[in-house]
Amino acid sequence: MVEQFVGTWALLSSENFDEYMKAIGVGFATRQMGNMAKPNLVISVDDAGMVSMKSETTFKTTEIKFKLNEEFDETTADGRKTKTLITCANGKLVQQQTWEDKKTTLEREIQEGKLTAKCVMDDVVAVRIYEKGA
């Protein structure tokens, strides 16, 4: 089911991302860089079922490797240390990050050939849309 997400995706549009970053506790300077960055999202799966999700920008490249349904420790691009669980259900790749009694959810799905990432923290929702590269 993860196969539909495999590939290189370029950020096309981003809505409300600054508010989302604020809600998860990202500082001003890091938010400024985050707002300017136009990341490529590179998703791959190896033969053992290990998924790699890499975010590449001119500022920073971050990568997480995981197996679906297995919690792991993640250090996010903004420096948070989270317990992260990624599942795949109903065509959505759902990433839940928990830290310091907080929880955020990132839902990725393919809609009309584009990858839509919905970032949710409490009542703040950001939507980022990526298109598949060549």
Side-chain angles (χ1 to χ4, degrees):
M1 197 133 165
V2 174
E3 289 69 27
Q4 65 180 336
F5 295 95
V6 169
T8 299
W9 302 86
L11 184 67
L12 196 61
S13 68
S14 184
E15 178 185 312
N16 212 33
F17 194 55
D18 190 61
E19 289 303 311
Y20 171 75
M21 287 189 292
K22 236 186 256 183
I24 62 172
V26 177
F28 179 77
T30 304
R31 284 202 326 271
Q32 294 308 302
M33 286 195 296
N35 284 323
M36 288 190 303
K38 301 284 184 243
N40 281 338
L41 187 60
V42 182
I43 301 173
S44 61
V45 185
D46 71 15
D47 293 340
M50 186 68 75
V51 181
S52 165
M53 200 177 323
K54 191 184 293 188
S55 177
E56 303 173 332
T57 71
T58 52
F59 302 114
K60 186 181 230 177
T61 295
T62 59
E63 180 178 21
I64 55 173
K65 290 187 176 191
F66 58 91
K67 285 200 169 181
L68 291 175
N69 307 312
E70 290 183 15
E71 187 178 75
F72 62 97
D73 293 319
E74 177 183 3
T75 299
T76 64
D78 60 348
R80 287 173 295 126
K81 299 210 181 305
T82 67
K83 292 284 185 191
T84 299
L85 177 67
I86 301 178
T87 57
C88 195
N90 304 318
K92 293 182 182 181
L93 201 56
V94 179
Q95 179 176 1
Q96 292 185 324
Q97 297 173 330
T98 55
W99 76 105
E100 298 172 4
D101 296 328
K102 297 177 188 168
K103 182 177 188 173
T104 186
T105 304
L106 297 91
E107 282 185 7
R108 296 174 179 92
E109 66 181 315
I110 308 298
Q111 295 178 322
E112 299 169 12
K114 293 183 171 43
L115 187 152
T116 300
K118 187 167 84 172
C119 311
V120 181
M121 178 69 185
D122 299 327
D123 59 349
V124 177
V125 179
V127 176
R128 291 163 69 82
I129 298 174
Y130 297 79
E131 69 180 346
K132 201 161 198 174

